[in-house]
Amino acid sequence: MNTFRKNRLISTAQRQGGLSLIELMVALVLGLFLMAGVIQLFLGSKQTYRFHEALSRIQENGRFAMEILSRDMRMTGYYGCIAKSIFNSPAAYHEPPCSDNGICNTLNNPSQYYWDFGTVIQGFEATSATTWTPTLDASVVDPFPGTDVITVRITENSVTVVDHPGGTPPGSAALKVPTNSGLNQCDILIVTNCEAAAIFQVTAATPGPNVALVHNTGAVPSCGGPGNVVQALGRDYTGGEVMRIATQTYYVRTGASGIPALWRRSSSANPQELLEGVQNMQILYGIGNNDQVIQYLTADAVDWDNDRILSVRINLLLVSTENNIVRTPMTVVFPADTGNLFTASDRRLYQAFSTTIAIRNRLP
């Protein structure tokens, strides 16, 4: 190997022996730019995922809430085959003795909020952060400030009365129902034969070929209910239908997670949290007139003794359980039919839902 070629190889090896400081800094800067891009892509993807996850959860919760509320609103005041004929006649609701047609409430304290089944729907308008008109019953505890409350009376689980000997006085014997009826001691029931009906509490459910639903006078301490003022239901209800009857109250209240939630209280039972993330509920009541034109009013503008409520419009504002979902606090039109604006104080995701439900038993 000649001297020139040898020196050239040595020079090339020396030049490839390492990186200069400038080359190292350039490589670090390029690496940082690349890493920043990857991190930005990751953060953007994560935020997009959080947004769509929150949106999906809100939409699912909104559909669920509307389904529960719509079901009970539609069935408001359905008391079996007698309901349609006497629904618009308050005089058809009466107390013992149960000797006339109509609905006879044999419970103790029948005008008490839980057992006032003659009033099939009640609304309470939030006229301020801490005031509701009409006045809320004390059993509705800690409703979220400024949100409306609604109470409906409904029935469920209809079964046929297999046998009900008249007895002395009439209707004092136990009602016999199939063993798989699901009706038990302490239940508040209504029985009807399409001409008359009676509301009572089951003081004992005696097993046998058919379950005997006893309705003695007085209260059963283990039930915690009102008990019956009389035993006689007025007539033999054999072949009629018997079903549970309950007072359902829906309202917004702070939930277990610390954010507002939709709650339901069924008669005197403990309130139950149904759905978290319900920020507000506003309700309008459709009042019918002689021209069949429906006017929607807030609860404080309804004449509950005389107005004929044909429908209910429910507006819900739902909120994501997580914060920092959107870039800036949202402004949402709520309720939708008023044009009012709700401006959030956080960066949670909000969405408004609205539906109008016809009360079937009051339609022409």
Side-chain angles (χ1 to χ4, degrees):
M1 183 181 296
N2 57 40
T3 302
F4 173 77
R5 185 175 181 184
K6 180 178 180 180
N7 291 338
R8 184 179 179 184
L9 290 175
I10 293 174
S11 177
T12 301
Q14 289 175 343
R15 286 198 303 269
Q16 295 178 349
L19 297 173
S20 68
L21 180 59
I22 294 176
E23 291 173 323
L24 181 61
M25 292 179 66
V26 170
L28 287 174
V29 170
L30 292 176
L32 288 175
F33 275 115
L34 180 62
M35 185 61 68
V38 172
I39 292 173
Q40 185 65 30
L41 179 63
F42 171 77
L43 292 178
S45 298
K46 181 179 180 181
Q47 187 65 13
T48 300
Y49 171 80
R50 293 179 71 236
F51 175 85
H52 287 289
E53 176 73 11
L55 180 61
S56 298
R57 180 66 60 86
I58 284 180
Q59 291 176 341
E60 179 183 359
N61 288 349
R63 288 192 296 267
F64 178 71
M66 288 303 187
E67 175 62 27
I68 291 178
L69 291 166
S70 296
R71 181 189 60 197
D72 280 359
M73 299 304 116
R74 281 194 297 266
M75 299 303 293
T76 296
Y78 174 71
Y79 295 164
C81 57
I82 194 175
K84 187 75 173 180
S85 60
I86 61 95
F87 198 98
N88 297 313
S89 176
Y93 298 89
H94 56 273
E95 300 175 17
C98 303
S99 57
D100 301 322
N101 292 340
I103 297 179
C104 182
N105 192 336
T106 74
L107 301 176
N108 286 302
N109 303 317
S111 61
Q112 203 270 346
Y113 180 70
Y114 299 136
W115 325 122
D116 182 15
F117 297 111
T119 306
V120 298
I121 184 169
Q122 292 175 278
F124 306 90
E125 177 70 15
T127 51
S128 73
T130 57
T131 304
W132 284 263
T133 304
T135 303
L136 274 177
D137 188 83
S139 63
V140 184
V141 181
D142 299 328
F144 203 67
T147 61
D148 292 349
V149 178
I150 187 169
T151 295
V152 294
R153 273 84 186 190
I154 63 168
T155 57
E156 60 179 5
N157 199 33
S158 174
V159 297
T160 300
V161 178
V162 176
D163 188 27
H164 182 216
T168 304
S172 58
L175 290 87
K176 295 184 178 180
V177 296
T179 55
N180 61 351
S181 67
L183 303 179
N184 302 295
Q185 183 187 34
C186 303
D187 285 345
I188 307 294
L189 305 179
I190 180 171
V191 60
T192 178
N193 63 358
C194 302
E195 294 180 354
I199 298 171
F200 62 94
Q201 183 171 29
V202 180
T203 56
T206 306
N210 293 298
V211 176
L213 303 177
V214 181
H215 43 92
N216 292 331
T217 57
V220 178
S222 60
C223 290
N228 304 305
V229 67
V230 297
Q231 184 182 24
L233 304 182
R235 65 188 65 206
D236 184 338
Y237 281 102
T238 301
E241 61 177 332
V242 61
M243 63 205 88
R244 289 193 188 93
I245 187 169
T247 295
Q248 305 276 61
T249 300
Y250 290 93
Y251 60 104
V252 176
R253 172 181 167 186
T254 302
S257 63
I259 64 174
L262 181 65
W263 289 71
R264 178 178 65 194
R265 180 164 190 154
S266 184
S267 295
S268 59
N270 291 328
Q272 176 186 12
E273 182 178 345
L274 297 179
L275 193 67
E276 66 178 352
V278 180
Q279 178 76 21
N280 200 341
M281 178 168 67
Q282 296 295 319
I283 302 174
L284 296 173
Y285 300 87
I287 309 301
N289 56 33
N290 295 331
D291 297 327
Q292 300 300 316
V293 175
I294 297 180
Q295 178 185 13
Y296 284 92
L297 303 175
T298 55
D300 57 330
V302 173
D303 182 352
W304 293 99
D305 293 327
N306 299 302
D307 284 340
R308 186 164 177 254
I309 300 173
L310 301 178
S311 61
V312 179
R313 180 170 295 165
I314 299 178
N315 296 279
L316 295 179
L317 181 64
L318 271 71
V319 58
S320 62
T321 57
E322 294 184 3
N323 202 351
N324 300 319
I325 300 296
V326 294
R327 293 180 180 274
T328 58
M330 294 184 65
T331 298
V332 180
V333 178
F334 180 81
D337 54 356
T338 64
N340 294 336
L341 296 180
F342 166 82
T343 301
S345 59
D346 51 32
R347 290 169 53 198
R348 299 179 189 270
L349 180 65
Y350 291 82
Q351 186 170 352
F353 294 81
S354 180
T355 188
T356 301
I357 308 117
I359 300 177
R360 289 178 177 175
N361 293 290
R362 287 195 171 178
L363 295 179

